[in-house]
Amino acid sequence: MTLSAVDTRIIQLIMELRRQGIADTRVLAAIERVPREHFVAEQFLKHAYDNIALPITQGQTISQPFVVAYMTEALLVGDRMKVLEIGTGSGYQAAVLAKLSRRVYTIERYKSLLQSAERRFDDLKITNITAIVGDGNKGWPEQAPFDRILVTAAADKRPDLLIRQLSPEGGIMVAPVSVTATDQDIVRYTRHGDDVQEERLMPVRFVPLLPGIAREAAG
Ligand code: SAH
């Protein structure tokens, strides 16, 4: 049996993620099973399995596979868990989380991005993602509490409103939080009742978490 070119590229990416220190085999298997080529724009197809961030529409980006793997690993997701993602973007990170959990709720401020992401979930027959247009800063109070929350746009300070939507029994949130105007740290927050433990994990650069729902031209 010979491997297709795509299979070879996915295996190379998984090997690179391992070399970069991603050790959780559930996370690596989830990344192996989500075809990133479905989430990138046509003109970047040949780079779909390169370990780089790529532009999507609306000036946003699909995160670098290493950053997706790193944040997903840091989130310690179990297969019975209810997960909230802020910043659906292409939908790639949500699809990876959907392989690891019971259900993923995801919020995006651009309707056009959300609609494209939902089409991809349908095409790939991923049925455990619920996606809405909204302001992720506010979380999703009707569905709270969440076992896990992953924020994929940079917050300028500790996102307390989201922390309040975490399960008080060991709920975990991973989010890029500003250090300077352009640089952030990935921070992991673990909640036990009113106690919130904070760990700074790695420097990163994300697009900013913006206020409100985006206005888009009709059509
Ligand atoms: N998780 C995405 C990467 C997203 S980039 C993926 O896997 O492709 C960050 C996304 O967050 C962008 O799509 C941006 O529009 C969105 N975003 C920024 N501020 C937001 C907010 N307040 N509420 C919801 N989405 C937001």
mmCIF file with all atom_site columns, all heavy atoms in Angstrom, residues 2 17 35 54 57 61 65 88 97 118 144 188 204:
data_model
loop_
_atom_site.group_PDB
_atom_site.id
_atom_site.type_symbol
_atom_site.label_atom_id
_atom_site.label_alt_id
_atom_site.label_comp_id
_atom_site.label_asym_id
_atom_site.label_entity_id
_atom_site.label_seq_id
_atom_site.pdbx_PDB_ins_code
_atom_site.Cartn_x
_atom_site.Cartn_y
_atom_site.Cartn_z
_atom_site.occupancy
_atom_site.B_iso_or_equiv
_atom_site.pdbx_formal_charge
_atom_site.auth_seq_id
_atom_site.auth_comp_id
_atom_site.auth_asym_id
_atom_site.auth_atom_id
_atom_site.pdbx_PDB_model_num
ATOM 1  N N   . THR A 1 2   ? 0.540   2.193  -0.848 1.00 0.00 ? 2   THR A N   1
ATOM 2  C CA  . THR A 1 2   ? 1.328   3.429  -0.832 1.00 0.00 ? 2   THR A CA  1
ATOM 3  C C   . THR A 1 2   ? 0.503   4.555  -0.209 1.00 0.00 ? 2   THR A C   1
ATOM 4  O O   . THR A 1 2   ? -0.719  4.569  -0.298 1.00 0.00 ? 2   THR A O   1
ATOM 5  C CB  . THR A 1 2   ? 1.735   3.852  -2.265 1.00 0.00 ? 2   THR A CB  1
ATOM 6  O OG1 . THR A 1 2   ? 0.536   4.012  -3.020 1.00 0.00 ? 2   THR A OG1 1
ATOM 7  C CG2 . THR A 1 2   ? 2.640   2.831  -2.902 1.00 0.00 ? 2   THR A CG2 1
ATOM 8  N N   . LEU A 1 17  ? 5.409   18.078 15.169 1.00 0.00 ? 17  LEU A N   1
ATOM 9  C CA  . LEU A 1 17  ? 4.773   18.482 16.435 1.00 0.00 ? 17  LEU A CA  1
ATOM 10 C C   . LEU A 1 17  ? 5.368   17.688 17.605 1.00 0.00 ? 17  LEU A C   1
ATOM 11 O O   . LEU A 1 17  ? 5.603   18.225 18.678 1.00 0.00 ? 17  LEU A O   1
ATOM 12 C CB  . LEU A 1 17  ? 3.256   18.281 16.359 1.00 0.00 ? 17  LEU A CB  1
ATOM 13 C CG  . LEU A 1 17  ? 2.522   19.158 15.331 1.00 0.00 ? 17  LEU A CG  1
ATOM 14 C CD1 . LEU A 1 17  ? 1.043   18.800 15.268 1.00 0.00 ? 17  LEU A CD1 1
ATOM 15 C CD2 . LEU A 1 17  ? 2.703   20.646 15.640 1.00 0.00 ? 17  LEU A CD2 1
ATOM 16 N N   . PRO A 1 35  ? -8.705  17.121 8.505  1.00 0.00 ? 35  PRO A N   1
ATOM 17 C CA  . PRO A 1 35  ? -8.023  17.532 7.280  1.00 0.00 ? 35  PRO A CA  1
ATOM 18 C C   . PRO A 1 35  ? -7.925  19.061 7.181  1.00 0.00 ? 35  PRO A C   1
ATOM 19 O O   . PRO A 1 35  ? -8.877  19.727 6.800  1.00 0.00 ? 35  PRO A O   1
ATOM 20 C CB  . PRO A 1 35  ? -8.895  16.956 6.165  1.00 0.00 ? 35  PRO A CB  1
ATOM 21 C CG  . PRO A 1 35  ? -10.251 16.788 6.775  1.00 0.00 ? 35  PRO A CG  1
ATOM 22 C CD  . PRO A 1 35  ? -10.069 16.618 8.254  1.00 0.00 ? 35  PRO A CD  1
ATOM 23 N N   . LEU A 1 54  ? -1.994  30.698 8.645  1.00 0.00 ? 54  LEU A N   1
ATOM 24 C CA  . LEU A 1 54  ? -2.335  31.143 7.285  1.00 0.00 ? 54  LEU A CA  1
ATOM 25 C C   . LEU A 1 54  ? -3.482  32.139 7.355  1.00 0.00 ? 54  LEU A C   1
ATOM 26 O O   . LEU A 1 54  ? -4.340  32.038 8.237  1.00 0.00 ? 54  LEU A O   1
ATOM 27 C CB  . LEU A 1 54  ? -2.753  29.944 6.429  1.00 0.00 ? 54  LEU A CB  1
ATOM 28 C CG  . LEU A 1 54  ? -1.654  28.931 6.086  1.00 0.00 ? 54  LEU A CG  1
ATOM 29 C CD1 . LEU A 1 54  ? -2.257  27.671 5.484  1.00 0.00 ? 54  LEU A CD1 1
ATOM 30 C CD2 . LEU A 1 54  ? -0.641  29.543 5.116  1.00 0.00 ? 54  LEU A CD2 1
ATOM 31 N N   . THR A 1 57  ? -10.309 34.852 5.625  1.00 0.00 ? 57  THR A N   1
ATOM 32 C CA  . THR A 1 57  ? -10.887 36.140 5.217  1.00 0.00 ? 57  THR A CA  1
ATOM 33 C C   . THR A 1 57  ? -11.049 37.056 6.423  1.00 0.00 ? 57  THR A C   1
ATOM 34 O O   . THR A 1 57  ? -10.776 36.662 7.553  1.00 0.00 ? 57  THR A O   1
ATOM 35 C CB  . THR A 1 57  ? -12.248 35.934 4.522  1.00 0.00 ? 57  THR A CB  1
ATOM 36 O OG1 . THR A 1 57  ? -13.079 35.192 5.396  1.00 0.00 ? 57  THR A OG1 1
ATOM 37 C CG2 . THR A 1 57  ? -12.085 35.187 3.215  1.00 0.00 ? 57  THR A CG2 1
ATOM 38 N N   . THR A 1 61  ? -6.737  34.853 10.943 1.00 0.00 ? 61  THR A N   1
ATOM 39 C CA  . THR A 1 61  ? -5.810  33.772 10.603 1.00 0.00 ? 61  THR A CA  1
ATOM 40 C C   . THR A 1 61  ? -6.264  32.444 11.209 1.00 0.00 ? 61  THR A C   1
ATOM 41 O O   . THR A 1 61  ? -6.903  32.414 12.244 1.00 0.00 ? 61  THR A O   1
ATOM 42 C CB  . THR A 1 61  ? -4.375  34.048 11.135 1.00 0.00 ? 61  THR A CB  1
ATOM 43 O OG1 . THR A 1 61  ? -4.457  34.335 12.535 1.00 0.00 ? 61  THR A OG1 1
ATOM 44 C CG2 . THR A 1 61  ? -3.712  35.201 10.427 1.00 0.00 ? 61  THR A CG2 1
ATOM 45 N N   . PRO A 1 65  ? -0.373  25.095 13.334 1.00 0.00 ? 65  PRO A N   1
ATOM 46 C CA  . PRO A 1 65  ? -0.672  23.794 13.934 1.00 0.00 ? 65  PRO A CA  1
ATOM 47 C C   . PRO A 1 65  ? 0.009   23.572 15.280 1.00 0.00 ? 65  PRO A C   1
ATOM 48 O O   . PRO A 1 65  ? -0.612  23.021 16.207 1.00 0.00 ? 65  PRO A O   1
ATOM 49 C CB  . PRO A 1 65  ? -0.170  22.796 12.879 1.00 0.00 ? 65  PRO A CB  1
ATOM 50 C CG  . PRO A 1 65  ? -0.367  23.522 11.592 1.00 0.00 ? 65  PRO A CG  1
ATOM 51 C CD  . PRO A 1 65  ? -0.053  24.963 11.890 1.00 0.00 ? 65  PRO A CD  1
ATOM 52 N N   . THR A 1 88  ? -14.244 31.314 16.358 1.00 0.00 ? 88  THR A N   1
ATOM 53 C CA  . THR A 1 88  ? -14.356 30.142 15.482 1.00 0.00 ? 88  THR A CA  1
ATOM 54 C C   . THR A 1 88  ? -13.411 30.229 14.296 1.00 0.00 ? 88  THR A C   1
ATOM 55 O O   . THR A 1 88  ? -12.825 29.215 13.901 1.00 0.00 ? 88  THR A O   1
ATOM 56 C CB  . THR A 1 88  ? -15.806 30.026 14.933 1.00 0.00 ? 88  THR A CB  1
ATOM 57 O OG1 . THR A 1 88  ? -16.731 30.258 15.988 1.00 0.00 ? 88  THR A OG1 1
ATOM 58 C CG2 . THR A 1 88  ? -16.045 28.686 14.288 1.00 0.00 ? 88  THR A CG2 1
ATOM 59 N N   . LEU A 1 97  ? -11.071 20.125 18.660 1.00 0.00 ? 97  LEU A N   1
ATOM 60 C CA  . LEU A 1 97  ? -11.682 19.953 19.986 1.00 0.00 ? 97  LEU A CA  1
ATOM 61 C C   . LEU A 1 97  ? -12.849 18.968 19.934 1.00 0.00 ? 97  LEU A C   1
ATOM 62 O O   . LEU A 1 97  ? -13.071 18.198 20.876 1.00 0.00 ? 97  LEU A O   1
ATOM 63 C CB  . LEU A 1 97  ? -12.170 21.303 20.532 1.00 0.00 ? 97  LEU A CB  1
ATOM 64 C CG  . LEU A 1 97  ? -11.080 22.298 20.931 1.00 0.00 ? 97  LEU A CG  1
ATOM 65 C CD1 . LEU A 1 97  ? -11.684 23.670 21.214 1.00 0.00 ? 97  LEU A CD1 1
ATOM 66 C CD2 . LEU A 1 97  ? -10.289 21.789 22.134 1.00 0.00 ? 97  LEU A CD2 1
ATOM 67 N N   . GLU A 1 118 ? -19.348 26.493 9.496  1.00 0.00 ? 118 GLU A N   1
ATOM 68 C CA  . GLU A 1 118 ? -20.451 25.526 9.644  1.00 0.00 ? 118 GLU A CA  1
ATOM 69 C C   . GLU A 1 118 ? -20.573 24.620 8.415  1.00 0.00 ? 118 GLU A C   1
ATOM 70 O O   . GLU A 1 118 ? -20.870 23.438 8.546  1.00 0.00 ? 118 GLU A O   1
ATOM 71 C CB  . GLU A 1 118 ? -21.770 26.268 9.872  1.00 0.00 ? 118 GLU A CB  1
ATOM 72 C CG  . GLU A 1 118 ? -21.857 26.808 11.294 1.00 0.00 ? 118 GLU A CG  1
ATOM 73 C CD  . GLU A 1 118 ? -23.238 27.365 11.605 1.00 0.00 ? 118 GLU A CD  1
ATOM 74 O OE1 . GLU A 1 118 ? -23.679 28.276 10.864 1.00 0.00 ? 118 GLU A OE1 1
ATOM 75 O OE2 . GLU A 1 118 ? -23.857 26.891 12.571 1.00 0.00 ? 118 GLU A OE2 1
ATOM 76 N N   . ALA A 1 144 ? -23.530 27.790 30.065 1.00 0.00 ? 144 ALA A N   1
ATOM 77 C CA  . ALA A 1 144 ? -22.552 27.618 31.142 1.00 0.00 ? 144 ALA A CA  1
ATOM 78 C C   . ALA A 1 144 ? -23.157 26.722 32.226 1.00 0.00 ? 144 ALA A C   1
ATOM 79 O O   . ALA A 1 144 ? -24.390 26.667 32.346 1.00 0.00 ? 144 ALA A O   1
ATOM 80 C CB  . ALA A 1 144 ? -22.169 28.974 31.705 1.00 0.00 ? 144 ALA A CB  1
ATOM 81 N N   . ARG A 1 188 ? -2.993  29.631 31.411 1.00 0.00 ? 188 ARG A N   1
ATOM 82 C CA  . ARG A 1 188 ? -3.969  28.608 31.800 1.00 0.00 ? 188 ARG A CA  1
ATOM 83 C C   . ARG A 1 188 ? -4.541  28.969 33.163 1.00 0.00 ? 188 ARG A C   1
ATOM 84 O O   . ARG A 1 188 ? -3.804  29.181 34.117 1.00 0.00 ? 188 ARG A O   1
ATOM 85 C CB  . ARG A 1 188 ? -3.316  27.226 31.848 1.00 0.00 ? 188 ARG A CB  1
ATOM 86 C CG  . ARG A 1 188 ? -4.294  26.139 32.361 1.00 0.00 ? 188 ARG A CG  1
ATOM 87 C CD  . ARG A 1 188 ? -3.815  24.738 32.057 1.00 0.00 ? 188 ARG A CD  1
ATOM 88 N NE  . ARG A 1 188 ? -2.517  24.464 32.650 1.00 0.00 ? 188 ARG A NE  1
ATOM 89 C CZ  . ARG A 1 188 ? -1.753  23.415 32.342 1.00 0.00 ? 188 ARG A CZ  1
ATOM 90 N NH1 . ARG A 1 188 ? -2.167  22.552 31.425 1.00 0.00 ? 188 ARG A NH1 1
ATOM 91 N NH2 . ARG A 1 188 ? -0.591  23.235 32.919 1.00 0.00 ? 188 ARG A NH2 1
ATOM 92 N N   . VAL A 1 204 ? 3.157   34.158 22.663 1.00 0.00 ? 204 VAL A N   1
ATOM 93 C CA  . VAL A 1 204 ? 2.509   33.961 21.358 1.00 0.00 ? 204 VAL A CA  1
ATOM 94 C C   . VAL A 1 204 ? 2.083   35.306 20.771 1.00 0.00 ? 204 VAL A C   1
ATOM 95 O O   . VAL A 1 204 ? 2.143   36.341 21.442 1.00 0.00 ? 204 VAL A O   1
ATOM 96 C CB  . VAL A 1 204 ? 1.210   33.109 21.457 1.00 0.00 ? 204 VAL A CB  1
ATOM 97 C CG1 . VAL A 1 204 ? 1.500   31.644 21.413 1.00 0.00 ? 204 VAL A CG1 1
ATOM 98 C CG2 . VAL A 1 204 ? 0.361   33.498 22.649 1.00 0.00 ? 204 VAL A CG2 1
#
